[in-house]
Amino acid sequence: RIDEGSVQYVGSQPWPFPQSCMIGFTATADCSQELNVDTNELVSAGWFDKADVAQAATVEGPTMQRPVAEAALENDPSLPLLIPPKGVIAR
């Protein structure tokens, strides 16, 4: 469950497929609550702590490109997730 009063707009950027605009927000959520995932929108979702995100942020390069992602995971199989590179609102 997201605390509705904590939602804050971060920014937006053009998204080329399918000619859309990606918008970003931050919010506080209760991580003890089960995630309700709309599988029409997302393949998977999960809670990650700050240490997991900090570890993922050490990976350099465009992690959305398969060779970069595979190399990162080969280099450190303990990575709990991969995140988009700096400068991308999805990060």
Side-chain angles (χ1 to χ4, degrees), residues 9-78:
Y9 173 76
V10 173
S12 63
Q13 72 182 120
W15 197 250
F17 181 80
Q19 299 177 345
S20 301
C21 180
M22 181 177 281
I23 56 175
F25 293 86
T26 61
T28 302
D30 180 354
C31 64
S32 69
Q33 298 288 320
E34 184 176 336
L35 286 175
N36 182 7
V37 179
D38 180 347
T39 56
N40 292 317
E41 293 287 332
L42 300 173
V43 173
S44 67
W47 296 117
F48 300 94
D49 61 30
K50 288 181 181 181
D52 291 339
V53 177
Q55 183 181 2
T58 66
V59 176
E60 295 185 16
T63 54
M64 67 290 244
Q65 293 178 3
R66 187 179 187 106
V68 175
E70 288 175 343
L73 294 171
E74 184 177 311
N75 184 46
D76 185 355
S78 72

